Amino acid sequence: MPKKRQILVIGNNENGSTPELEKLAYDVGAEIAKSQSVLITGGLGGVMKAASKGAHDAGGLTVGIIPQDNPSFANEFCDIVIPSGIGLSRDFLNALSADGVIIVGGGSGTLSETCAAYMYKKPIVALKTSGGVATQYADQYLDHRKNVKIIGVDTPQEAVKYILSQIRL
C-alpha cells in the first residue's frame, strides 16, 4: 500500500480566528479528506480545529501535533494526537511531517511554521483572501534563496488541488 499524502493546514488559533477563517479551514479540511490525504494540524483551536472538523466530517484521518505534553489539550476532532512537549518548536515537527502546506490567515505562529516549511522546500499554498500571513506572503518567496514560491489561490478547492499536484511520493 502506498504512503498516504500528508497535508498540513496552518493559520490562526482561537485568538485571532473568525467565523470566515474557520469556514475556509473547514472546507480545506473536507477537501483534504476527499482526496484521501491525511490532515495534519497543530491540534488546537481556531483554524486547526475547523480544518480537523471538516476532515472528520468528510470521513478523513486527522493528526494533531500539539505543543503540550498532555494529549487532553488537543481538539476533539484529532484522530491521532502527538503531544510533542516541545512548545513552539513543534512548528518544525509539523512542517517536516507534511508533504505540503496550506495557509489560512495566520499570525506569528503561522509565519514560524511557514518559515520551517520554506526552509525544507515543502510546497506551500496560501488562501490569499484570508488575511494575515496568507495574504501577506501569497505569490512570493520568503527571501533571496527562493526555496519555494508561496502560491496564492482563491478557494479551498484550488488550494488542495495545487498541493496535490506538487506532492511527489
Side-chain angles (χ1 to χ4, degrees):
M1 176 186 266
K3 175 190 174 299
K4 286 190 171 254
R5 296 168 297 213
Q6 299 177 179
I7 301 173
L8 174 66
V9 175
I10 60 177
N12 298 80
N13 63 23
E14 62 276 348
N15 179 16
S17 190
T18 64
E20 295 79 20
L21 284 178
E22 291 173 11
K23 171 69 169 115
L24 288 171
Y26 179 93
D27 291 345
V28 168
E31 289 296 317
I32 289 169
K34 290 174 192 172
S35 77
Q36 301 298 306
S37 300
V38 175
L39 171 73
I40 299 174
T41 71
L44 302 177
V47 163
M48 297 171 277
K49 182 176 180 178
S52 297
K53 183 174 182 349
H56 180 268
D57 288 354
L61 179 64
T62 63
V63 177
I65 304 174
I66 63 172
Q68 298 88 351
D69 62 0
N70 183 333
S72 70
F73 285 94
N75 73 65
E76 66 270 29
F77 303 107
C78 294
D79 295 310
I80 298 169
V81 177
I82 300 172
S84 72
I86 59 175
L88 298 177
S89 298
R90 75 84 153 77
D91 292 352
F92 278 83
L93 192 56
N94 291 356
L96 286 169
S97 297
D99 297 311
V101 179
I102 299 174
I103 310 169
V104 182
S108 62
T110 303
L111 182 57
S112 173
E113 285 175 295
T114 302
C115 290
Y118 180 85
M119 292 303 293
Y120 287 96
K121 300 178 181 170
K122 302 287 183 168
I124 306 170
V125 65
L127 282 168
K128 60 186 176 184
T129 59
S130 62
V133 170
T135 299
Q136 188 171 358
Y137 293 99
D139 296 317
Q140 60 185 313
Y141 298 95
L142 288 180
D143 67 12
H144 64 282
R145 286 170 253 214
K146 296 185 177 182
N147 286 345
V148 292
K149 189 173 189 179
I150 299 170
I151 303 301
V153 299
D154 293 316
T155 69
Q157 295 77 17
E158 290 173 304
V160 174
K161 182 178 179 183
Y162 174 78
I163 284 297
L164 293 175
S165 77
Q166 298 303 300
I167 295 174
R168 309 283 179 247
L169 297 178

